[in-house]
Amino acid sequence: RRAGVLATSIEPMCRKHHRPSSVTSPLVSLAREALPERGSVLDVGAGAGATSLPLLDRAGRLVAVDSQPTMLEEVRAQA
C-alpha cells in the first residue's frame, strides 16, 4: 500500500505569525543565500517546516509536501 502525499501552499498574505528565527542552521543560511527575493521554496518531507519556515520572509511562495496531514497543518499554523 502506498502512502499518500499531501501538499500545502503558503502565499505571502498567509504569513500571519512567523518571524525569521534568530537561530538558523547552516542549511537555512545557505538556502537563504541561494533563494532569490520572492523566489519559490519546495519543502519535500516538510515535517513541521523547521527548514522552510525561516525562509518565509524572503520567499514569494512556499510549497510544503508531507505524507502526514498533521504536519502540514502545523506548517500552516506557524506560517
Side-chain angles (χ1 to χ4, degrees):
R1 185 173 153 172
R2 293 177 63 187
V5 176
L6 305 171
T8 191
S9 178
I10 300 169
E11 299 295 334
M13 64 188 116
C14 295
R15 299 178 195 163
K16 301 175 222 146
H17 308 290
H18 184 74
R19 300 285 184 262
S21 173
S22 60
V23 179
T24 57
S25 73
L27 176 61
V28 171
S29 296
L30 287 172
R32 180 177 297 288
E33 288 176 25
L35 181 64
E37 187 69 34
R38 310 273 313 137
S40 296
V41 174
L42 173 62
D43 189 356
V44 178
T51 303
S52 55
L53 285 174
L55 301 172
L56 271 180
D57 64 319
R58 185 161 177 85
R61 182 174 186 192
L62 165 64
V63 176
V65 179
D66 202 284
S67 62
Q68 299 298 315
T70 55
M71 291 290 94
L72 295 176
E73 290 169 14
E74 183 66 25
V75 171
R76 189 166 280 286
Q78 291 185 55

